[in-house]
Every structure is written in C-alpha cells, then in structure tokens.
C-alpha cells in the first residue's frame, strides 16, 4: 500500500512538472552579438598584404592582428557604430574607418596603410 501511494505521488508530481506553462527560450545578450567585422589590410603603394597589423575598435579593449595574408576577423561584435583603427610599425599611424554594424551581419572592411618612407 505504501509503495502504491509513493508511486501515485511521483506520478502526480511528474505530471505537474510537465504540464507547466512553457516559456520561449530568449537569446542571451552574448548570443545576440553574432556580428563579425572582417577584412584585409594592404600596403597603399604596393598592394601587398600586411602581416601583424593591430586592428582595434577604438574606445574598447577589442583588438586582433592580421594573419600572413593580411586578413583579420573580429567576431561577436554587438550592433552599433564603431571606429576601427589599424597600426603597424614603420607605417603611418592610425588608419581609421567609422563603420555601422547591423544585426547578424558580416561587415567587410578593407584598409590601406601608407609607409612612413612615402
């Protein structure tokens, strides 16, 4: 008898849990930031890709560096307007571009740096 009561109680509790109101899953703020800023940095005179260029979103700690093909990508960027800067030793300081990033977007940004020797 005791076993039947325990089983009945467990059945009632289980049915109450699964019969509850289901809420939609909301995206967290981190999951909502699915934007990417990507591009290439080239030498203004030769058109050659530049390796090791620091790419930074001004006013933040978000930065990355170009690879051997001069390419970079910053993922998980929230929508908004940003100023992007590019710096490399022996090139003129701070090539900057202001861009607008929209939701769920890959924003292509190509930059050209001028050598100090020019």
């Amino acid at each position: 008898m005791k076993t039947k009561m325990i089983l009945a109680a467990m059945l009632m509790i289980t049915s109450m849990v699964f019969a509850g109101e289901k809420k939609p899953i909301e995206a967290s703020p981190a999951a909502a930031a699915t934007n990417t800023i990507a591009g290439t940095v080239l030498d203004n005179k030769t058109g050659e890709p530049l390796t090791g260029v620091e790419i930074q979103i001004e006013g933040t700690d978000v930065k990355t560096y170009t690879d051997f093909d001069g390419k970079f990508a910053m993922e998980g960027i929230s929508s908004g307007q940003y100023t992007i800067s590019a710096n490399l030793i022996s090139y003129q300081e701070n090539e900057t571009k202001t861009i607008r990033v929209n939701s769920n977007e890959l924003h292509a940004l190509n930059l050209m740096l001028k050598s100090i020797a020019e």
Side-chain angles (χ1 to χ4, degrees):
M1 180 75 167
K2 201 175 196 184
T3 306
K4 288 182 182 180
M5 290 180 72
I6 292 174
L7 286 174
M10 288 176 57
L11 182 62
M12 286 177 44
I13 291 171
T14 304
S15 64
M16 287 190 306
V17 168
F18 287 109
E21 184 179 324
K22 295 182 181 177
K23 296 180 182 176
I25 298 173
E26 295 181 24
S28 68
T34 59
N35 305 312
T36 300
I37 300 171
T40 305
V41 181
L42 304 173
D43 181 285
N44 188 48
K45 187 175 183 181
T46 66
E48 293 290 319
L50 297 174
T51 302
V53 178
E54 179 187 71
I55 309 296
Q56 183 170 11
I57 298 177
E58 290 188 357
T60 72
D61 292 334
V62 178
K63 64 181 169 182
T64 190
Y65 295 87
T66 58
D67 63 12
F68 289 109
D69 297 321
K71 297 181 182 199
F72 68 92
M74 291 186 273
E75 298 176 343
I77 306 298
S78 299
S79 297
Q81 185 166 322
Y82 300 101
T83 300
I84 309 297
S85 65
N87 292 301
L88 183 62
I89 295 173
S90 76
Y91 281 80
Q92 292 181 8
E93 225 175 281
N94 273 357
E95 167 70 17
T96 60
K97 296 265 177 145
T98 301
I99 60 169
R100 176 92 188 138
V101 177
N102 299 314
S103 295
N104 299 317
E105 179 179 77
L106 168 62
H107 191 89
L109 178 66
N110 296 313
L111 301 168
M112 304 288 278
L113 292 181
K114 291 182 183 179
S115 174
I116 291 176
E118 289 182 28

